[in-house]
Amino acid sequence: MTVYDLHSHTTASDGVLTPQELITRAKHRGVHVLAITDHDSISGLPVAQNCALSQDITIINGIELSVTWKKNHIHVIGLNIDITHHELSLRLAELQKIRQARAIEIGSRLEKVGIQNALTGAQQFSANNNITRTHFARFLVKTGKASSMSNVFKRYLAYGKPGYVSVEWVQLENAVELIKSAGGQAVIAHPARYKMSNVKMKKMLGDFTEYGGAAIEVVNSGCTRQVIENNARLANQFGLSASIGSDFHSPDNQYVDLGRFSALPDNVTPVWHDWEITVC
Ligand code: AMP
Ligand code: MN
Ligand code: MN
Ligand code: MN
């Protein structure tokens, strides 16, 4: 059976492994088809594709876009995108600018609650200067401001906390359009994590479907049976296909690892059902 993991991060965003290290780990863990989906960046993909040639693994060119939908922040994955697409590069450059400005603001908000040098600290955790809240979180844990990654988000970085800075990302409609125009399929990442009411989720998925979205992530590492069943129901209700992926960031979290998740339920259509890829 072919093992697909269609959601993972490298040092091009907030993962701790380089593309080469990620691929080596994926091979060890029995993954045959791996999508690399860094936040708002495709910079890890050329080296990944190069490395995959000698590693007998299929790498899917992916991205995880930061998206705004009616003031909600959600993540939309693009799979099989053309990484030479001009418009995509332009939009990613804009997102990087937003990230840079936001990082500066996060740094100064943290300073106001007595945490010095957080921006420099976060930058030191980022290999490619694509600064996310994860980089701030790693700095805050290292300097003893919180005991764990989840604790640091709860205290400083989650919505409503001192280091939370709200920005407008790409609008959902534009994100789907962009992914499609770059030849890819748009996938709603980890729907259960948004803590939306049922009504809101259905409204969002209705819009997503209308814009031409292809799939939702039905299974991630750590999803409960109940979450998986609910996601599968939503996929079928909206005529969306189903994706699966770990959302791997770091070997430090043993529960979120490449290829480590439950199987897709039988009653959904896998997002890869019409892919023409050669699996090694
Ligand atoms: P950003 O895109 O800069 O807002 O950062 C979002 C990233 O922070 C996500 O992709 C996760 O990797 C990480 N993150 C968000 N919430 C948590 C949490 N509660 N615990 C650990 N990591 C989190
Ligand atoms: Mn992340
Ligand atoms: Mn995400
Ligand atoms: Mn992710």
Side-chain angles (χ1 to χ4, degrees):
M1 198 188 68
T2 305
V3 177
Y4 292 81
D5 186 332
L6 302 178
H7 188 162
S8 68
H9 296 273
T10 74
T11 46
S13 65
D14 56 354
V16 301
L17 302 186
T18 63
Q20 294 95 323
E21 290 165 342
L22 184 81
I23 287 170
T24 302
R25 189 177 183 90
K27 276 292 290 181
H28 279 299
R29 296 203 36 90
V31 173
H32 303 108
V33 181
L34 175 72
I36 295 181
T37 55
D38 277 304
H39 297 288
D40 308 318
S41 172
I42 53 175
S43 72
L45 290 167
V47 64
Q49 288 295 359
N50 209 20
C51 167
L53 291 176
S54 58
Q55 286 266 18
D56 284 350
I57 187 168
T58 303
I59 298 297
I60 301 295
N61 286 335
I63 191 149
E64 184 171 15
L65 286 175
S66 305
V67 167
T68 299
W69 175 78
K70 295 185 194 296
K71 298 203 172 9
N72 298 268
H73 299 307
I74 64 174
H75 286 169
V76 176
I77 286 179
L79 295 174
N80 294 305
I81 48 169
D82 170 7
I83 58 173
T84 66
H85 191 260
H86 185 59
E87 174 73 11
L88 179 66
S89 302
L90 294 179
R91 297 308 292 267
L92 294 181
E94 283 169 23
L95 281 169
Q96 290 304 323
K97 275 198 190 137
I98 295 174
R99 279 199 175 276
Q100 293 299 326
R102 171 186 181 245
I104 292 168
E105 182 62 22
I106 292 175
S108 69
R109 299 241 185 131
L110 288 173
E111 200 150 328
K112 285 186 187 122
V113 294
I115 297 167
Q116 312 298 320
N117 305 320
L119 178 59
T120 319
Q123 280 164 339
Q124 277 162 4
F125 278 93
S126 160
N128 290 282
N129 208 29
N130 177 14
I131 311 280
T132 69
R133 282 183 291 163
T134 311
H135 298 106
F136 281 95
R138 291 191 182 125
F139 168 73
L140 293 172
V141 170
K142 189 188 92 175
T143 52
K145 301 292 186 299
S147 57
S148 66
M149 291 294 278
S150 63
N151 191 249
V152 85
F153 273 87
K154 259 186 222 148
R155 289 178 64 177
Y156 294 106
L157 298 168
Y159 178 77
K161 302 299 166 171
Y164 185 84
V165 175
S166 181
V167 291
E168 286 260 318
W169 301 108
V170 186
Q171 295 300 316
L172 180 60
E173 182 170 10
N174 299 333
V176 174
E177 227 174 69
L178 185 63
I179 289 166
K180 284 176 65 185
S181 73
Q185 293 153 292
V187 182
I188 296 289
H190 42 62
R193 241 186 266 166
Y194 308 129
K195 307 215 164 27
M196 287 182 187
S197 67
N198 247 338
V199 171
K200 203 183 221 186
M201 177 65 71
K202 287 184 178 171
K203 181 84 184 73
M204 189 272 282
L205 291 176
D207 286 357
F208 177 69
T209 308
E210 190 191 315
Y211 302 148
I216 69 174
E217 236 173 28
V218 169
V219 177
N220 296 113
S221 288
C223 273
T224 62
R225 180 64 25 215
Q226 198 185 357
V227 164
I228 293 171
E229 280 170 11
N230 194 46
N231 290 342
R233 211 170 13 248
L234 289 169
N236 289 330
Q237 199 175 338
F238 286 87
L240 295 165
S241 56
S243 190
I244 188 165
S246 56
D247 200 4
F248 175 83
H249 285 74
S250 159
D252 290 347
N253 184 347
Q254 58 171 315
Y255 300 107
V256 178
D257 208 341
L258 296 163
R260 180 170 183 167
F261 33 65
S262 309
L264 272 185
D266 290 336
N267 64 345
V268 294
T269 307
V271 67
W272 57 84
H273 77 282
D274 58 357
W275 289 4
E276 286 167 18
I277 52 169
T278 323
V279 176
C280 302

